[in-house]
């Protein structure tokens, strides 16, 4: 059965109670989880599963795209954990919060790069200490990215509250601005999770974000790489 994904409803949930559905070696499946798996170009959460006095370090979290089951891989080879056990999940919050700030910053950057330079994102990865975004852009000038990052910092400083909400496909098709997202969603998906940065960006998106762009901090350009014809990779971090 699909794992209930608690982070979709609350990115600030740091601890949660769950029941073990399955244990296979050092891999644990829970009925619900606040651990964000490695998906959508955002690194996975780390943290702990706690049973009584014993804490088990979570070293990797993955999701099966077809079944939507989340696997928590533990550091310990043998755990004594069993199906039906009640455990507490604890998210490594410092790491998660860095991922949330960088991921939200990526929205701002993608928006300005498209609006002002017609550059489309072709890939990306948010890790804990830095993020990278790939753009389809013929120009290699550093000034383009410096300009974008400067504008992104101005946007972040406006302290815009993010809106996160769920729409059925039918509802989504009636909302201007969301229609395009709804048309792109695969038919088996019944519901869209919309992440809106009012006045800036609107996406269908399953990742964790900060509540307010003021939490992002200062976006810093690290470097730009030329990845071939029209492919430019931007590395950035937040401070
Ligand atoms: Zn996002």
């Amino acid at each position: 059965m699909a794992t209930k994904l608690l982070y979709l409803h609350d990115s600030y949930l740091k601890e949660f109670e769950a029941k073990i559905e399955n244990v296979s070696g050092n891999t644990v499946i829970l009925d619900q989880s606040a651990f964000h798996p490695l998906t959508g170009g955002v690194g996975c959460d780390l943290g702990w599963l706690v049973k009584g006095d014993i804490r088990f370090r979570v070293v990797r979290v993955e999701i099966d795209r077809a079944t939507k089951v989340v696997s928590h891989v533990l550091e310990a080879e043998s755990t004594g954990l069993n199906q039906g056990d009640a455990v507490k999940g604890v998210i490594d919050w410092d790491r998660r919060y860095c991922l949330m700030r960088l991921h939200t910053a990526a929205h701002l950057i993608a928006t300005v790069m498209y609006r002002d330079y017609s550059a489309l994102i072709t890939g990306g990865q948010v890790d804990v200490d830095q993020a990278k975004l790939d753009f389809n852009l013929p120009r290699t000038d550093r000034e383009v990215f410096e300009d974008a990052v400067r504008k992104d910092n101005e946007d972040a400083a406006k302290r815009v509250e993010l809106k996160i909400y769920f729409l059925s496909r039918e509802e989504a098709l009636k909302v201007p601005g969301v229609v395009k997202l709804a048309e792109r969603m695969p038919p088996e998906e019944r519901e869209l999770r919309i992440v809106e940065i009012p006045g800036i960006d609107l996406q269908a998106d399953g990742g964790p974000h900060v509540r307010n762009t003021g939490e992002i901090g200062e976006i810093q350009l690290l470097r730009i790489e030329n990845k071939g014809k029209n492919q430019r990779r931007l590395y950035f971090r937040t401070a």
Side-chain angles (χ1 to χ4, degrees):
M1 210 172 68
T3 309
K4 187 176 178 198
L5 306 176
L6 301 173
Y7 62 83
L8 290 180
H9 301 273
D10 183 1
S11 293
Y12 288 77
L13 187 63
K14 302 174 184 74
E15 295 188 6
F16 62 98
E17 307 288 335
K19 200 179 82 184
I20 295 181
E21 300 258 297
N22 188 272
V23 182
S24 171
N26 59 343
T27 300
V28 176
I29 292 167
L30 305 171
D31 60 341
Q32 56 178 4
S33 182
F35 281 87
H36 181 263
L38 178 63
T39 184
V42 179
C44 74
D45 284 326
L46 302 177
W48 300 268
L49 293 186
V50 183
K51 188 190 169 196
D53 298 336
I54 313 173
R55 288 161 74 88
F56 300 97
R57 179 102 182 123
V58 176
V59 293
R60 199 167 72 247
V61 184
E62 295 166 351
I63 189 165
D64 183 308
R65 281 171 186 274
T67 61
K68 304 273 169 67
V69 169
V70 174
S71 297
H72 307 75
V73 181
L74 305 182
E75 186 177 46
E77 286 299 326
S78 86
T79 61
L81 293 171
N82 291 299
Q83 185 179 7
D85 286 354
V87 290
K88 184 169 79 172
V90 180
I91 305 295
D92 178 341
W93 179 249
D94 288 345
R95 174 185 168 85
R96 158 67 83 75
Y97 196 53
C98 288
L99 293 172
M100 283 162 50
R101 290 168 61 210
L102 275 167
H103 176 62
T104 311
H107 280 257
L108 301 187
I109 294 171
T111 298
V112 169
M113 288 299 291
Y114 180 67
R115 185 193 67 200
D116 293 357
Y117 295 101
S118 305
L120 279 170
I121 284 204
T122 56
Q125 180 66 38
V126 175
D127 290 318
V128 70
D129 47 355
Q130 66 174 29
K132 62 184 179 191
L133 289 174
D134 292 337
F135 291 97
N136 190 296
L137 181 73
R139 302 168 60 181
T140 47
D141 347 354
R142 189 179 168 90
E143 296 80 67
V144 168
F145 291 97
E146 284 174 347
D147 177 58
V149 167
R150 183 179 53 75
K151 289 170 178 165
D152 297 327
N153 279 314
E154 288 169 8
D155 279 344
K158 290 176 191 158
R159 303 194 57 80
V160 181
E161 286 283 324
L162 275 73
K163 289 184 188 167
I164 296 183
Y165 46 95
F166 294 83
L167 293 175
S168 70
R169 175 190 287 272
E170 293 73 27
E171 289 168 319
L173 287 168
K174 291 180 202 151
V175 182
V178 182
V179 176
K180 280 205 182 74
L181 302 176
E183 285 171 348
R184 251 185 273 150
M185 78 194 269
E188 66 274 15
E189 297 284 341
R190 301 303 310 152
E191 206 176 43
L192 277 91
R193 179 178 185 260
I194 305 292
V195 175
E196 183 175 357
I197 310 177
I200 298 174
D201 189 31
L202 184 76
Q203 298 289 337
D205 184 324
H209 306 78
V210 293
R211 289 192 185 109
N212 187 300
T213 60
E215 293 177 54
I216 292 172
E218 188 201 351
I219 304 168
Q220 297 176 338
L221 190 159
L222 292 173
R223 65 186 187 279
I224 300 147
E225 284 177 2
N226 188 347
K227 304 301 285 183
K229 191 174 185 299
N230 295 348
Q231 290 299 311
R232 314 288 170 238
R233 178 170 291 173
L234 166 71
Y235 288 87
F236 65 97
R237 68 179 175 200
T238 57

